[in-house]
């Protein structure tokens, strides 16, 4: 969208002024640090070269999950203001559900969504920061396509490792000593 960067920055500056005013009325209403993090992340989402780098890294993070698909970046068609990705054929989740799939198909989609959200985190410590239904495509070959990598959060190997061990223990029915995990 032409001018989106300037419009977003202006809107966030106006919102920031309101939050700053609220924070002066009570410490309970001081959300300045949360707003700063949100503002910084939103501004980063309009840097499409950065998003291309994140998409490539996320593609690597899901490489061991063959039922998930992250589109390839078309480098020669990507600039700071335009991100070009491989087109993933298929239906949006809304379109898929409107087609009244069977219970087993809905369960299969649920399983894929869980893998799409948690798989990259458990494997590589990366999570898509905007996992809403519009960022997933139910592909004709049965895979789940993941799109929109403007907000990808990377966690430390230690943090991801602790969560991986908790998940493995839960699946195995083992009790967990949460203090020992850290």
């Amino acid at each position: 969208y032409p001018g989106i960067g300037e419009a977003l920055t202006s809107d966030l500056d106006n919102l920031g002024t309101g939050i700053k005013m609220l924070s002066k009325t009570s410490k309970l209403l001081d959300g300045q640090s949360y707003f700063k993090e949100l503002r910084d992340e939103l501004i980063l989402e309009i840097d499409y070269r950065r998003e291309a780098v994140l998409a490539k890294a996320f593609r690597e993070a899901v490489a061991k999950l063959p039922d998930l698909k992250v589109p390839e970046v078309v480098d020669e068609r990507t600039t700071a203001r335009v991100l070009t990705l491989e087109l993933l054929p298929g239906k949006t989740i809304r379109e898929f559900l409107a087609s009244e799939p069977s219970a087993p198909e809905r369960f299969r989609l649920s399983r894929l969504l869980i893998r799409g959200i948690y798989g990259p985190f458990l494997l590589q410590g990366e999570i898509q920061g905007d996992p809403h239904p519009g960022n997933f495509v139910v592909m004709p070959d049965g895979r789940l396509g993941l799109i929109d990598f403007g907000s990808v959060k990377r966690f430390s190997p230690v943090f991801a490792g602790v969560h991986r061990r908790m998940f493995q223990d839960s699946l195995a029915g083992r009790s967990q000593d949460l203090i020992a995990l850290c």
Side-chain angles (χ1 to χ4, degrees), residues 5 62 64 76 78 82 84-85 89 93 95 175-176:
V62 303
K64 293 180 181 177
E76 60 274 8
T78 296
V82 175
T84 307
L85 300 172
I93 289 178
E95 291 168 336
S175 63
Q176 300 173 355

Side-chain angles (χ1 to χ4, degrees), residues 68-168:
L68 300 178
K69 170 77 171 159
V70 171
E72 291 188 41
V73 174
V74 182
D75 287 316
E76 60 274 8
R77 299 275 188 245
T78 296
T79 68
R81 297 181 66 161
V82 175
L83 174 63
T84 307
L85 300 172
E86 166 191 12
L87 177 64
L88 299 183
K91 298 178 179 179
T92 66
I93 289 178
R94 180 172 293 171
E95 291 168 336
F96 175 80
L97 294 175
S99 71
E100 299 182 11
S102 66
E105 276 298 297
R106 289 193 311 270
F107 180 77
R108 190 182 72 74
L109 175 61
S110 297
R111 182 179 161 275
L112 286 173
L113 284 168
I114 291 167
R115 287 174 63 82
I117 293 169
Y118 292 106
F121 172 70
L122 294 171
L123 289 172
Q124 297 286 339
E126 292 190 10
I127 196 161
Q128 186 182 25
D130 192 13
H132 68 76
N135 287 338
F136 298 99
V137 177
V138 183
M139 299 177 65
D141 65 5
R143 293 181 294 168
L144 182 68
L146 290 80
I147 57 175
D148 191 353
F149 305 97
S151 180
V152 172
K153 179 74 174 166
R154 290 187 177 128
F155 295 92
S156 74
V158 171
F159 184 84
V162 166
H163 283 81
R164 189 178 309 108
R165 286 192 303 277
M166 285 178 16
F167 187 74
Q168 289 168 335

